[in-house]
Amino acid sequence: GKAIRPWIDIVEDVRTRVVWMTIIDAASDSEAVVATFAEATLGREMPDGTFVGGIAGIWKTDRGRDYIAKDTRDVAARLGGTQVVCESHAPYQKGPVESAIRILIRHIAIENPGRVRRTSFGQRLPWHEEDGPLLLFEEFCDRAFTKLDWYLTERIHQALGRTPLEEWKACTDPIY
């Protein structure tokens, strides 16, 4: 089949770096963005039983057409939040989410040499001498969700000094 670049939508709590929800699809559209918002609001249970998610007061989004679509703005408003659209080419405004995506993809690539052709932003992986068979979309998704659990429960976040899940459990502030 044809190689596709998976589209990854993430909702992440800015304070604790806990990823509330991730949707991976072959392409992005405003329906996928709305679904990600809705799933994040419903939340999810972590492997240790901790519930993460809720209603965010501020939805910080990319400027992509799918994020600034009317139905995306409407769902943020119906959920009681305000959508803040980041400036173009301003990674400092959406850096934590971009960083989480880069970390996930890079670790999947490291553990599957030759099976992931490029990291984010189209950079060729320098340690690959030649490409092997690419991961199937379902394989990529399985590995991404496994890596996401690792990112939240085992990987020490440099700025936090602990895992995002430990920070979430220690945080006593309301969600927004």
Side-chain angles (χ1 to χ4, degrees):
K2 182 183 170 209
I4 59 169
R5 181 175 175 187
W7 193 267
I8 304 173
D9 286 318
I10 285 183
V11 175
E12 180 181 58
D13 179 60
V14 176
R15 285 180 329 236
T16 65
R17 302 299 192 249
V18 166
V19 175
W20 289 0
M21 185 50 60
T22 303
I23 292 183
I24 302 173
D25 207 343
S28 179
D29 58 23
S30 59
E31 286 182 22
V33 174
V34 169
T36 308
F37 283 1
E39 291 290 326
T41 301
L42 294 173
R44 69 186 183 107
E45 190 173 326
M46 297 301 299
D48 72 348
T50 303
F51 177 81
V52 298
I55 297 176
I58 297 174
W59 298 92
K60 189 184 283 190
T61 66
D62 193 306
R63 293 194 73 77
R65 72 181 194 287
D66 307 324
Y67 295 96
I68 60 174
K70 183 180 180 332
D71 49 349
T72 305
R73 290 190 317 268
D74 288 350
V75 79
R78 273 186 272 153
L79 292 172
T82 303
Q83 182 181 17
V84 176
V85 180
C86 295
E87 296 172 24
S88 296
H89 310 291
Y92 57 89
Q93 290 183 348
K94 58 182 177 172
V97 169
E98 295 291 340
S99 178
I101 292 171
R102 270 196 309 276
I103 289 167
L104 291 174
I105 293 174
R106 188 158 189 84
H107 278 272
I108 292 168
I110 289 168
E111 293 173 2
N112 299 278
R115 302 211 51 212
V116 176
R117 196 168 283 154
R118 298 177 188 278
T119 60
S120 32
F121 308 115
Q123 297 172 340
R124 190 156 187 81
L125 298 171
W127 60 84
H128 290 180
E129 294 178 14
E130 61 182 65
D131 291 329
L134 295 177
L135 287 174
L136 296 175
F137 183 73
E138 294 78 16
E139 291 177 306
F140 179 85
C141 291
D142 288 344
R143 285 171 172 79
F145 289 120
T146 300
K147 252 320 139 189
L148 181 59
D149 283 343
W150 163 83
Y151 175 83
L152 297 174
T153 62
E154 296 178 39
R155 180 183 176 274
I156 304 297
H157 190 285
Q158 187 175 9
L160 300 173
R162 55 184 162 188
T163 70
L165 188 58
E166 290 169 336
E167 184 70 15
W168 175 269
K169 289 177 180 179
C171 187
T172 57
D173 297 334
I175 292 174
Y176 51 90

